[in-house]
Amino acid sequence: MDHIDRVLLAQLQQDATQSYAALGQAAGLSAGAAHERVRKLRERGVIRRTTIEVDPAAVGSAVLAFVLVDSTSWMGDSADAFAALPEVLEAHIIAGSASVLLKVRTATTEQLQDVLRRIYAIEGVSGTQATVVLETFFERPLSPQAADRT
C-alpha cells in the first residue's frame, strides 16, 4: 500500500459516496485510475465493505457499555455464542484479568441487564463486569495515514 492508496482510503472513510472523479482529484489521479485503485483495494481485502455510520440514539440504542467477561475456560471457541446476541457489536479475546471484552449497545439499562444475563448463560462464562458510557467524546475509524507517521 502506498501513499495514494492511503489518501483514497482516508477519503472513502470520510464519505464513501464520493465519485471516483472526486476521489481521483484528492489523490492526484484520473477518475478511472481512482476506480482501478479502489477495485484493487477491495480485491486485496483492504476495503472489507462499504457502509454508513448511524447515530445509535436515533435508532434506539443510546446505552453503550463495555463488558469484561470472566471465564472458567478458554473462550476462543465462543465467538458464535457472542455473535448470536445482536446487542453485542464487538467481541475481543483479551489478555489480562478478564477473557473477553464486549462492546454492547441497548436502548435501556434494563435491556443491558437482560443482555448481561444472556452473556452469563454462555458456557464457560463465570462473571461479567459492565462499564456504562455516560458520554462519548469521539470515535474514529482506523486512520490509513497512521503508517505514514512512523
Side-chain angles (χ1 to χ4, degrees), residues 75 77-92 100 102-103 118-119 122:
M75 298 301 294
D77 299 325
S78 301
D80 290 342
F82 292 117
L85 305 174
E87 300 88 350
V88 175
L89 303 180
E90 296 179 16
H92 308 274
V100 177
L102 305 175
K103 181 178 180 180
R118 288 184 279 144
I119 291 168
I122 294 172

Side-chain angles (χ1 to χ4, degrees), residues 17 20 22 25 48 53 72 87 121 132:
T17 65
Y20 289 113
Q25 184 176 19
R48 293 186 201 171
E53 186 176 335
T72 57
E87 300 88 350
V132 176

Side-chain angles (χ1 to χ4, degrees), residues 1-3 5-14 46 138-150:
M1 234 177 55
D2 63 11
H3 176 72
D5 287 339
R6 293 180 199 289
V7 169
L8 292 170
L9 290 172
Q11 289 295 312
L12 287 168
Q13 283 182 311
Q14 288 176 12
V46 175
F138 61 86
E139 291 179 296
R140 66 174 64 131
L142 177 63
S143 171
Q145 304 298 336
D148 289 345
R149 291 186 211 127
T150 58

